[in-house]
Amino acid sequence: MIILWIVLAVIGVPLLLIGLYFAKAIVQGAAEGWREGSEESTEYELPAEAAALGLLPPERQNTDTAAPVPADLAAAVAAAKAGDWQPAAALFDETASVRDWERRTSHCEALADVAAEDDTWLLAWEAARVDDPGAALVRARSTVFLAWNIRGGKRAQYTTGEQFEGFHRVLAQSREEHARAAALAVEGDPSPYVGEIWTALGLGYPNSEMDRLWKELTDRAPHHYEAHFSALQYWCKKWRGSERLARDFAARAAEQAPLGSLMTAFPLIAHFEHDESDSAEADRTPEMRSLVDAALTDVAAADPAHPRLAEVRHLLAFYLCLQDRDEAAVEQFRLVDGYVNALPWRYRGDKAAEFCRMRDLSLANAAAAN
């Protein structure tokens, strides 16, 4: 090291400073590249730092989930696809008995997605156990998924009138299905109201109606993660609200929640949804660093089995990378590696490639700093 510094002194400090300047410019450009929307792909080679930690290349990242699917849920999904409803029913019976509403809505989301494609197993469940609260919940949520499947994922100008007609017709049906699920629900269960938020978003409930729905929900579960994520989407500028309404909603959620509830993720999500700048400077402000610090503390206090914990870790990895807090970023990347269906990656055309690009950037920066 002493010899190296002697050589550098001979070469000249000015040259060193110029080199550092351009190195920083390259690193910042790489960190900010996600904003430019480029989907160019190059041949990928797993860096030595990533290989040493057992991290995976893009082609081995799971792009369907943000984290490993719990074994009981994976078994219920597989059984449902094979026509057997009983493992799913058992899951809903169990979450009702222990009043685990986070897991209940997570299970509902996964199984409703299956039913939207083929509901043969759900019809059998409904016939065998008439007015079953779990079956009613899955039916309501699957109707929402079916509506969005009919609409398709393209922008309005590329969506046909027939698609829109089917979308609104089926969404209106989902409103009735959610009302039935709420009437049949186990006491204290917010799940039917969580699902209805997506009906509200699609049909364009007026803000006053959303406020009514929100009160019903938070009277039962004031700090439910999926509920807040869904409602934040409703209040975003791109849907039924505005940037101010979304940021205010997120700030209230974070301020009023107990540590470990993961509510501190929502100011970061509100920022992400409305940040239209073409540089990462808006992500490096003292306020943003403070928001990231709060989310780190929240994550550390959360139940390791929380079904949404990995989603917050993905978001933290992203912002820590942008803030040049690379060692902390690497730790979050390491904990979620292998699963990339989460914000911010899922807003990109190639989720796995974007995840690995920023992960590898933080790995390289952290190694260079040590």
Side-chain angles (χ1 to χ4, degrees), residues 151 153-161 163-164:
R151 184 201 180 281
K154 295 182 179 179
R155 294 184 178 183
Q157 62 264 42
Y158 305 113
T159 304
T160 68
Q163 285 174 299
F164 272 122

Side-chain angles (χ1 to χ4, degrees), residues 281-293 323 325:
E281 291 309 310
D283 308 310
R284 296 174 176 146
T285 64
E287 178 186 7
M288 282 296 293
R289 290 181 70 90
S290 178
L291 291 176
V292 169
D293 288 341
Q323 292 175 0
R325 301 162 71 177

Side-chain angles (χ1 to χ4, degrees), residues 200-220:
L201 189 150
L203 290 180
Y205 283 20
N207 291 173
S208 58
E209 182 67 6
M210 179 62 182
D211 288 338
R212 180 204 63 77
L213 175 61
W214 190 242
K215 185 177 187 309
E216 292 281 2
L217 197 160
T218 52
D219 281 350
R220 293 164 172 80

Side-chain angles (χ1 to χ4, degrees), residues 105-144:
T105 56
S106 178
H107 294 345
C108 182
E109 183 178 19
L111 287 157
D113 190 41
V114 177
E117 296 294 332
D118 182 354
D119 67 348
T120 305
W121 63 278
L122 180 55
L123 289 167
W125 182 5
E126 291 168 326
R129 291 170 54 170
V130 178
D131 291 342
D132 182 274
L137 190 59
V138 175
R139 172 62 66 192
R141 193 70 181 270
S142 72
T143 306
V144 174

Side-chain angles (χ1 to χ4, degrees), residues 253-254 257 259 261-269 291 294-296 298-299 312:
L259 194 63
S261 64
L262 303 180
M263 295 291 103
T264 53
F266 295 111
L268 293 174
I269 295 174
L291 291 176
L296 282 168
D298 207 5
V299 160
V312 186

Side-chain angles (χ1 to χ4, degrees), residues 88-113:
L91 275 187
F92 282 92
D93 291 345
E94 188 266 336
T95 55
S97 68
V98 298
R99 300 176 66 82
D100 189 338
W101 309 135
E102 292 283 2
R103 283 177 59 232
R104 191 171 179 83
T105 56
S106 178
H107 294 345
C108 182
E109 183 178 19
L111 287 157
D113 190 41

